[in-house]
Amino acid sequence: MTLKGKLVLVGAGKMGGAMLEGWLDEGTPAEQVVVLDPAPSDAMARLAAERGLALNPPVEEIADPEIVLIAVKPQIMDKVLPGLLPLARHKPVFLSVAAGRTIASFEAVLGADVPIVRAMPNTPAAVGRGITVICPNAHVTEAQAALAESLLSAVGEVGRVDDEGLMDAVTGVSGSGPAYVFYLTECLARAGMDEGLPEELATKLARATVAGAGELMRRSGEPAGTLRENVTSPNGTTAAGLGVLMADDGLKPLVARTVAAAARRSRELAE
C-alpha cells in the first residue's frame, strides 16, 4: 500500500484497532497515520505513544488526508460525522465499515460530491482471516477504490460490488456469518454431550473440527461440495449424518431463512 497523504482512522476499537495493527505490520509509516477516537483504550494510547502515531489532534489541523476510514459504532455515527466536515473539503475518500449505514447517509452529512466507499467486514478480521466487501459511490476513482481494497486486505480478503442493494445480502452471509458458525460449534458440542461425551471433550472436539475444516477449505481451494463428497463414504457414518442435514427440511432451508432474516434486518437499519 502506497500512501501519498494521511490515513485517518476514526474509531480504534476492535475492528479499527485490528486494521491499524495490520497496516503498521505491513510497513505503513506511522507518521502518515492519524487516529481519532473519542475514548481511546489504554492499549491504543500505548500503541500511539510507542509507534509515534498522532492521536486525537484537532481535526482542522490534519493536513492532506488521503483516506478516512470510519470504524465507529453505527449508534454514535450521527455524533461523529459532523466533526469530520473539515476533512471533507480536501476530498479524501471516506471508507466506512459501519453496518447498516448507507452511502446516502454519509453524503447527506459530508456532501453529495464526496468520494465514499461503504464496506462490510466481519469479525475474523481481528486475526487476519476476515473478508470484506466494498461498494463505492460514483465519485470514487479506480485509484481510490484500489487504495480502499489495499487497506482492507491487511485483515483478510476483499470483494467488491457496484450495486449497493447487494450489501444487505453480504451482511446476511459474511457480516453475520461468523456468529452462525460459532452457534453451529455450540450445537455440535451439545450433541456430543447428549451422546455421552464429557463437556470439556465435546467442546474441544467441536471447536477443533470446525476450525480444522475451515482451514482445510481455505488451503485446498476446492469447492465445499467437493470436500464434503471426499469425506463421505457410501452408507457410512458421515452419509448417515448428512442424510439428516440434507433432507428437505434440513440445513439448507434453515440457513436460507437465517440469511434472509439478517439481510432483512440490515435493510431495516438503513431506513
Side-chain angles (χ1 to χ4, degrees), residues 57-225:
V59 175
E60 297 81 4
E61 296 179 10
I62 299 174
D64 194 24
E66 183 176 5
I67 186 163
V68 181
L69 193 146
I70 305 172
V72 299
K73 294 184 182 300
Q75 296 90 327
I76 66 170
M77 187 68 73
D78 292 336
K79 294 182 180 179
V80 171
L81 278 185
L84 302 180
L85 276 171
L87 299 177
R89 60 187 174 87
H90 297 281
K91 291 295 188 294
V93 57
F94 286 85
L95 170 59
S96 166
V97 297
R101 296 303 298 250
T102 64
I103 289 173
S105 71
F106 290 98
E107 292 175 338
V109 178
L110 300 173
D113 60 344
V114 171
I116 296 168
V117 175
R118 177 181 173 183
M120 183 70 244
N122 62 6
T123 53
V127 293
R129 287 286 182 263
I131 184 159
T132 305
V133 175
I134 67 169
C135 181
N137 73 355
H139 303 291
V140 176
T141 66
E142 281 302 317
Q144 288 173 324
L147 177 58
E149 290 187 17
S150 179
L151 279 176
L152 294 167
S153 67
V155 291
E157 299 180 51
V158 182
R160 176 175 171 176
V161 296
D162 293 317
D163 178 1
E164 190 180 6
L166 295 176
M167 293 297 284
D168 299 309
V170 169
T171 300
V173 174
S174 61
S176 300
Y180 312 155
V181 177
F182 300 148
Y183 185 57
L184 170 63
T185 307
E186 292 180 64
C187 291
L188 192 57
R190 171 53 60 182
M193 292 164 61
D194 291 344
E195 288 294 319
L197 292 174
E199 180 177 359
E200 184 177 356
L201 178 58
T203 300
K204 183 176 182 179
L205 291 174
R207 288 175 65 98
T209 297
V210 172
E215 185 65 9
L216 174 61
M217 185 161 49
R218 185 184 74 86
R219 291 193 185 188
S220 71
E222 293 282 350

